[in-house]
Amino acid sequence: DWRSKTGSEIVQFVVVKWTMACLIGICTGLVAFAVNISVENISGLKLLSTLTFLESDRYLAAALVLGGGNLLLVLLSVSLCAFVAPEAAGSGIPEVKAYLNGIDAPNILSPKTLFVKVLGSIGAVSGGLYLGKEAPLLHSGACIASFLTQGGSKRFKLTWKWLRILRHDRLRRDLITCGAAAGIAVAFRAPVGGVIFALEEMASWWRSALLWRVLFTTACVTVVRQAANNLCQGDNCGVFGYGGLIVFDMSVVSTNMGLIALVPAMLLGILGGVLGSLFTFLSRKIAKFYSGWHSKHESLGKVLQALFVSIITSIFIFGLPWLATCTPCPSTASCPSSLPSGAYKRFTCASGYYNDLAGLMLSTNDGAIRILFNNNSNNEFQYFSLVLYLVWAFALALITYGLAIPSGLFLPVILVGATYGRLTGKFLKSHMGFENIDEGLFAYMGAASFLGGSMRIAVSLCVILLELTNNLLMLPWTMLILLISKTVGDLFNVGVYDQIVFIKGFPFLEEKPEPYMKHLTAGDVCSCPAATLSAIERVGNIVEVLRMTDHNGFPVLEMTSAPYPTLHGLILRSHLLVLLQKKDLFSQNASSLIGQDLKSCKVDFYKRGSGKGPTIDDIQLTAQEEDMFLDLHPFTNISPYTISEDMSLAKAFSLFRQLGLRHLCVVPKTKGPFPVSGILTRHDFMPEYVLGLFPHLKVSKWRRL
Amino acid sequence: DWRSKTGSEIVQFVVVKWTMACLIGICTGLVAFAVNISVENISGLKLLSTLTFLESDRYLAAALVLGGGNLLLVLLSVSLCAFVAPEAAGSGIPEVKAYLNGIDAPNILSPKTLFVKVLGSIGAVSGGLYLGKEAPLLHSGACIASFLTQGGSKRFKLTWKWLRILRHDRLRRDLITCGAAAGIAVAFRAPVGGVIFALEEMASWWRSALLWRVLFTTACVTVVRQAANNLCQGDNCGVFGYGGLIVFDMSVVSTNMGLIALVPAMLLGILGGVLGSLFTFLSRKIAKFYSGWHSKHESLGKVLQALFVSIITSIFIFGLPWLATCTPCPSTASCPSSLPSGAYKRFTCASGYYNDLAGLMLSTNDGAIRILFNNNSNNEFQYFSLVLYLVWAFALALITYGLAIPSGLFLPVILVGATYGRLTGKFLKSHMGFENIDEGLFAYMGAASFLGGSMRIAVSLCVILLELTNNLLMLPWTMLILLISKTVGDLFNVGVYDQIVFIKGFPFLEEKPEPYMKHLTAGDVCSCPAATLSAIERVGNIVEVLRMTDHNGFPVLEMTSAPYPTLHGLILRSHLLVLLQKKDLFSQNASSLIGQDLKSCKVDFYKRGSGKGPTIDDIQLTAQEEDMFLDLHPFTNISPYTISEDMSLAKAFSLFRQLGLRHLCVVPKTKGPFPVSGILTRHDFMPEYVLGLFPHLKVSKWRRL
């Protein structure tokens, strides 16, 4: 509690807060390093042996190594996810976003989830599935932050007094924002981009002070990343692990295309918006189908589904390049090459020729992006190969994203966008007379457009792409394309992350009230009448109320004042549960409690960091105890925010959302026998609930723009 | 009003909103271009003639041209500022920040201010004063936004219906944020940095949607800037105007200094923090002295003061280089050069030698920064020259900043920081064995440290510096230095902008309540009892209340319900003034008004964009009219936010600040004869006011960290 803070406690607070911010950065950096090294080495080994078999024309062995390896890795990943921590499935961004909006879904940030997320991500990415490791890193960062801010653990006797300070809701939320930013910062080598992503897309409440602390965390991540990179220079980290996280250096590309290139750039933006919203729409359908399948077939269904997708992926990876024709090698490069990275893979071609589709298919996803973004590599690809790859990538991204494995969407989206961008660039260059454009640059612009069109993030994507490609001159182009693609996409539907928040049923509070809320009053929707308690209440009644309702906040009424009771304050379920366990507070006689000074009585109300707290069923009371009385006065929040029942719902929403409340007492306009007419909680503001009560409001299709 | 919006009105709103955002960007870009061209040409001509006279050893003529030219330009600038628009003095950042916090100071965004700001800034910068044009550009951007969002002008018959939509407080605030961002974006060639600066430093309320619109504005600015640059290629814009705003391209500098360079970088950060807070402290003293002088001697005092500083500046610009010794020219460069830019100025030296101090002194401020940041120019400066320049720059920055002219602080701060950074780099390189460091890079790091130490902005400065120098590899260094210097500076005092907000006496609402507010209740500080009106009130009484008080919000009481009146709602002074002018609403008989339906009566309450509205003294009523009655029911906000008088002041503050309220009704805990115990306004939350009432709370030195 802040009221009793002394100077030294404030010093403790500051020290712990900043140490934690730094620790979160360091740990996230190390985890990212481990993930990256593992993925690079595992998939590198797999690809190398496949390519070696191919070199010696042993196609069946190559296919078996590739497909079998993929299947095993995916099996590991999906088993962990299905049987150990189902919360680790998916990208994790919607979950963290919901947490930062104030939704305490169970286990989404638990250590178990972290463990599965990291291992599952390694398995899925190195298993060749069409997904990325970036969003899982964000989720891992948030999990690390949550783990570090548990405020000690009773089980492991880590209950140092300083750590207790961490058990403060807002501080935890801030540090989890830091963790999320650290994840993005390390995944994209974008410290500033990570900060802005966390604030634009993740956090529901912004403060300048938070900006500042998040920057500190990403600075720590950057230092760790730099040190890891230095460590891995010169093959110290296994055969293929250079320790570098994805970086697509485009700092040498010429952006001097002339103003005429604005037209194709804008068209690319529109295309990105349309395709992005199509992708979002289809991914919603597929997510619904998958979740039906998951609830019908449970864990085994999840495993089989993932294995099925893995087999399909392997078949296409190995099968599609057969359809491509061989291209003569350019004279400048070492071509064909037998390295696992690089575009010039021989596959089944004769010496001096390369298979362009095999270059994309038989690479890691990071590698494929590097190949597509590559500058000064015009005409490296044939139309047929690019179209085939585009269709394959789009379809596979859709069917992979809903699987019960840790899966990031950034990489597949970038790949799809880069492919159609490169197609556009190639077409413009060879058929439309745009001489001085670079196909690699257009691949980049295509990626930006599809990112904007599907994720609907603007400023942070700008900064991330800027830091990723290390070329400031592309910034105006990137801004233009992102603006157009986001605007076009927003015309059709919401972004892919918001959609998942909706599908998962999180009661997410948007920033603004819905327009129809203007026409309703708080009294129209509140849970009325609320279950109330007296300030001096029989223990049995408290137990009864807790058992019969699932509310988390109860108005406390003062019965003494005539003629009607008045509202004394609000008490939380969690506090009542703690009080019921402290049986020495009970008293035989209600009247003996009146006027008694209980301020000195300290009760430890600290909330546990994660996991479920005790429930009412955990509390055993004798009949005698139930007949005793409990004085709630000292434990009640005596000035809860209240609103009048005739306040418009939109205004009530603003109050509730801006102040981050969990309960809002609705009081009657005129004095009556009940001082509280009801309570508003998060669920009372959900559009589905409100529109269920008042279906005639559903007419307006226009969202507030 | 939003409640009555139809689909087509929403389309109007969206179209107008985005068009305005783009227009603001374009206009700001054009103004910046004009300012830049003028400054470059005027000061270029001035410097060129000075240098020509110097070449032919006509020192007196050179001094007269330089000093006389400066004096004339400064006279123009300060006269405009002193006699036409005193609000245009200073940087404008604190004023815009205060406006965005909800403070309507008169004239700070008026067209007159814009005019004086632009012309004054040109005069002051090209007049050789030691200040920058960046912050004035921000203020100009905000003024342009304010001007464009007037919602039409009755005088010029521009009252198109679509423009009326703009007369909405929050929309205006959002667009002014866009204008501020556009100013920074164009000044520093930093579109993303501008967005983040606006959000980190300027805006008091953030929304993701705002981020997105601000980015659109800065994208428009970037396009204009790019077009202007293209236009000016090849001497089209006068002799010296290349149309380029300040850009310090450092993209080729090697940042590979090894981890050992962390130590001097951290020391530089600490030094920046200490010097920055010293600068802030001294600038406060000087601002106080100046404001005393200004109030004593009025406009003429301002003019004389500025002329005095101009003469001192000219004397030192011309005098100091005589103290420096001549340095032999390096063989690689064209040296000495007679161009107005560049480091190698001959001054009084023999052929083959250059005067290093003259290079810094006889340049524009932009040019001096380019010289200091220059890479691969080690040992260009001598210790003595750098120390002399540092002392001069620090002192002159202090005495120039408080003058009554448009003055930006970015440039002088960067120059001071770059000078001590270069000194440090030179020392490390020649005496400490740091072989592979670059003096230019250290100048940059010094500038970052002094910026962080004096302005206490972190994330946006990072991005601005990143975009300004076009080198991503310096990002980790920049982050580290800014973090350290801001932290060190915050130990001593607040940043330089916050300090000016305080000195100017703006009732600025901080983000968090002060700690002592926990110990007070709302009832302790509110203006009690509030002046109230009846729902059906005699016109004379309304006039009386308006004349006797200077409140802006009045609780409206419903007298009919027995036994005590109830709170009907809140009405604003501005609305009452409009109603008093509509005499057809008056009625002879109070009882005839009861139950009357006035909902259909539309009154135009739109607030004028800027300038003062009508006051109570403008309203002339006959005695007969004063005896009539007015029904306030339809014009009252019937659900104002209310709090109980025993709510802690800290909670009341959060409600007030987060929701951006102007009035907060305080109601008594128990029903009494008065349904409202008072009203809380912005002034009731000001620390000076609260601590004046409760001086014993002043003990705690600790600010909430």
Side-chain angles (χ1 to χ4, degrees), chain A residues 2-4 7 10-11 13-14 17-18 170 189-192 195-196 199-201 203 205-209 211-212 215-216 218-220 222-223 226 230 259 458-460 462-463 466-473 475-476 479-480 482-484 486-487 490 511-512 518-519 566-569 637-644 646-648 650-655 658-659 669-671 702-705, chain B residues 2-4 7 10-11 13-14 17-18 170 189-192 195-196 199-201 203 205-209 211-212 215-216 218-219 222-223 226-227 230 259 458-460 462-463 466-473 475-476 479-480 482-484 486-487 490 511-512 518-519 566-569 637-644 646-648 650-655 658-659 669-671 702-705:
Chain A
W2 277 96
R3 288 172 209 229
S4 52
I10 293 177
V11 172
F13 187 72
V14 173
K17 199 164 72 170
W18 287 91
R170 203 185 54 199
R189 198 197 60 164
V192 177
V195 172
I196 298 165
L199 293 182
E200 184 184 10
E201 182 63 17
W205 291 276
W206 285 7
R207 306 198 317 277
S208 288
L211 201 62
W212 170 219
L215 180 69
F216 180 64
T218 60
C220 293
T222 309
V223 170
Q226 200 67 42
N230 288 346
L259 279 181
V459 184
S460 50
C462 248
V463 181
L466 176 72
E467 294 184 273
L468 204 56
T469 55
N470 201 5
N471 188 340
L472 274 160
L473 296 176
L475 186 59
M479 285 168 81
L480 182 78
L482 282 174
L483 279 165
I484 294 174
K486 178 173 150 72
T487 309
D490 276 340
E511 214 160 318
K512 285 186 192 173
K518 305 265 174 197
H519 308 291
T566 55
L567 175 64
H568 178 65
N637 168 8
I638 56 161
S639 49
Y641 290 106
T642 58
I643 55 169
S644 162
D646 61 351
M647 179 179 277
S648 93
K651 267 187 129 164
F653 181 92
S654 299
L655 175 66
Q658 300 299 330
L659 294 177
K669 182 96 175 172
T670 52
K671 208 86 179 178
W702 286 92
R703 294 168 51 229
R704 269 181 81 173
L705 293 142
Chain B
W2 278 98
R3 288 171 211 229
S4 53
I10 294 177
V11 172
F13 187 73
V14 172
K17 201 165 70 170
W18 287 91
R170 204 186 50 200
R189 200 198 60 166
V192 177
V195 172
I196 297 164
L199 293 181
E200 184 184 10
E201 182 63 17
W205 291 277
W206 286 6
R207 308 200 314 279
S208 289
L211 201 63
W212 170 219
L215 179 69
F216 180 64
T218 60
T222 309
V223 171
Q226 199 68 43
N230 288 347
L259 280 180
V459 184
S460 49
C462 248
V463 182
L466 176 70
E467 293 184 272
L468 205 56
T469 55
N470 202 5
N471 189 339
L472 274 158
L473 295 176
L475 186 60
M479 284 168 81
L480 182 78
L482 281 174
L483 278 166
I484 293 174
K486 178 172 150 70
T487 309
D490 275 341
E511 214 160 317
K512 285 186 191 173
K518 305 264 174 197
H519 307 291
T566 55
L567 175 64
H568 178 66
N637 168 8
I638 56 161
S639 48
Y641 289 107
T642 58
I643 55 168
S644 162
D646 61 349
M647 181 179 275
S648 92
K651 267 186 129 165
F653 181 93
S654 300
L655 175 66
Q658 299 299 329
L659 294 178
K669 182 95 176 174
T670 52
K671 207 88 177 180
W702 285 92
R703 293 168 51 230
R704 270 180 80 173
L705 294 141

Side-chain angles (χ1 to χ4, degrees), chain B residues 72-361:
Chain B
L72 271 178
L73 288 163
V74 171
L75 180 64
L76 164 84
S77 168
V78 72
S79 310
L80 278 172
C81 234
F83 298 110
V84 181
E87 295 81 10
S91 77
I93 291 185
E95 283 84 357
V96 178
K97 196 174 167 179
Y99 176 84
L100 294 177
N101 191 258
I103 299 163
D104 257 336
N107 282 331
I108 54 172
L109 296 175
S110 70
K112 209 168 63 177
T113 307
L114 172 63
F115 173 77
V116 172
K117 196 96 197 183
V118 171
L119 280 192
S121 179
I122 293 174
V125 175
S126 53
L129 282 184
Y130 196 64
L131 39 75
K133 58 187 186 297
E134 286 67 34
L137 276 180
L138 181 149
H139 193 177
S140 304
C143 288
I144 289 169
S146 168
F147 178 70
L148 288 175
T149 55
Q150 295 277 341
S153 148
K154 273 190 188 158
R155 211 195 302 170
F156 301 108
K157 300 253 191 296
L158 276 168
T159 46
W160 192 30
K161 199 180 135 218
W162 282 43
L163 289 177
R164 285 214 169 173
I165 298 163
L166 290 166
R167 293 194 269 183
H168 182 318
D169 254 10
R170 204 186 50 200
L171 180 59
R172 275 176 59 80
R173 207 170 55 209
D174 287 357
L175 288 173
I176 285 168
T177 310
C178 290
I184 289 290
V186 74
F188 291 109
R189 200 198 60 166
V192 177
V195 172
I196 297 164
F197 187 85
L199 293 181
E200 184 184 10
E201 182 63 17
M202 308 303 295
S204 290
W205 291 277
W206 286 6
R207 308 200 314 279
S208 289
L210 187 56
L211 201 63
W212 170 219
R213 190 136 21 104
V214 175
L215 179 69
F216 180 64
T217 307
T218 60
C220 293
V221 163
T222 309
V223 171
V224 172
R225 199 195 155 278
Q226 199 68 43
N229 258 17
N230 288 347
L231 189 76
C232 280
Q233 302 246 308
D235 292 348
N236 290 327
C237 303
V239 197
F240 311 104
Y242 298 104
L245 294 154
I246 63 164
V247 179
F248 314 115
D249 201 320
M250 303 190 72
S251 53
V252 292
V253 69
S254 157
T255 54
N256 203 356
M257 301 184 284
L259 280 180
I260 188 71
L262 271 179
V263 179
M266 287 164 92
L267 288 178
L268 213 51
I270 294 171
L271 184 64
V274 172
L275 282 181
S277 55
L278 177 68
F279 182 84
T280 309
F281 173 76
L282 291 176
S283 78
R284 175 173 193 160
K285 296 282 169 207
I286 289 174
K288 279 197 176 160
F289 170 74
Y290 276 10
S291 76
W293 172 275
H294 290 169
S295 58
K296 206 158 65 184
H297 301 275
E298 302 194 345
S299 301
L300 197 66
K302 291 183 184 176
V303 173
L304 290 178
Q305 200 178 41
L307 294 182
F308 178 72
V309 171
S310 167
I311 292 170
I312 289 188
T313 309
S314 298
I315 289 175
F316 277 102
I317 285 179
F318 201 78
L320 279 186
W322 296 85
L323 301 177
T325 47
C326 296
T327 316
C329 277
S331 53
T332 50
S334 71
C335 165
S337 130
S338 59
L339 290 173
S341 61
Y344 303 119
K345 297 225 168 62
R346 194 172 71 91
F347 204 64
T348 57
C349 297
S351 177
Y353 287 80
Y354 70 95
N355 184 318
D356 54 354
L357 202 49
L360 288 174
M361 289 289 193

Side-chain angles (χ1 to χ4, degrees), chain B residues 392-514:
Chain B
W392 177 79
F394 194 89
L396 215 60
L398 278 173
I399 64 167
T400 310
Y401 188 55
L403 293 180
I405 38 171
S407 55
L409 199 53
F410 275 104
L411 232 61
V413 163
I414 292 178
L415 268 175
V416 171
T419 312
Y420 72 70
R422 196 155 184 124
L423 258 175
T424 314
K426 189 173 167 65
F427 179 74
L428 290 172
K429 198 173 176 81
S430 34
H431 293 86
M432 302 292 286
F434 284 86
E435 283 301 320
N436 50 357
I437 64 172
D438 188 289
E439 287 180 20
L441 182 62
F442 262 76
Y444 164 82
M445 281 161 50
S449 77
F450 199 51
L451 279 170
S454 56
M455 300 194 178
R456 317 287 161 78
I457 310 168
V459 184
S460 49
L461 271 182
C462 248
V463 182
I464 289 175
L465 289 171
L466 176 70
E467 293 184 272
L468 205 56
T469 55
N470 202 5
N471 189 339
L472 274 158
L473 295 176
M474 293 195 301
L475 186 60
W477 295 100
T478 316
M479 284 168 81
L480 182 78
I481 289 172
L482 281 174
L483 278 166
I484 293 174
S485 64
K486 178 172 150 70
T487 309
V488 171
D490 275 341
L491 289 181
F492 297 107
N493 48 23
V494 298
V496 68
Y497 293 131
D498 289 332
Q499 174 178 291
I500 293 169
V501 167
F502 184 77
I503 290 176
K504 296 218 168 189
F506 293 128
F508 193 86
L509 283 181
E510 295 293 339
E511 214 160 317
K512 285 186 191 173
E514 300 289 326

Side-chain angles (χ1 to χ4, degrees), chain A residues 33 66 99-100 119 142 173 175 188 201 246 288 315 324 338 389 410 475 501 506 544 555 559 590 698:
Chain A
F33 179 64
L66 187 76
Y99 176 84
L100 293 177
L119 280 193
R173 206 169 57 211
L175 288 173
F188 292 109
E201 182 63 17
I246 65 166
K288 278 197 177 159
I315 288 174
S338 59
Y389 188 73
F410 275 103
L475 186 59
V501 167
F506 292 129
E544 182 83 350
M559 291 301 179
K698 231 176 236 170

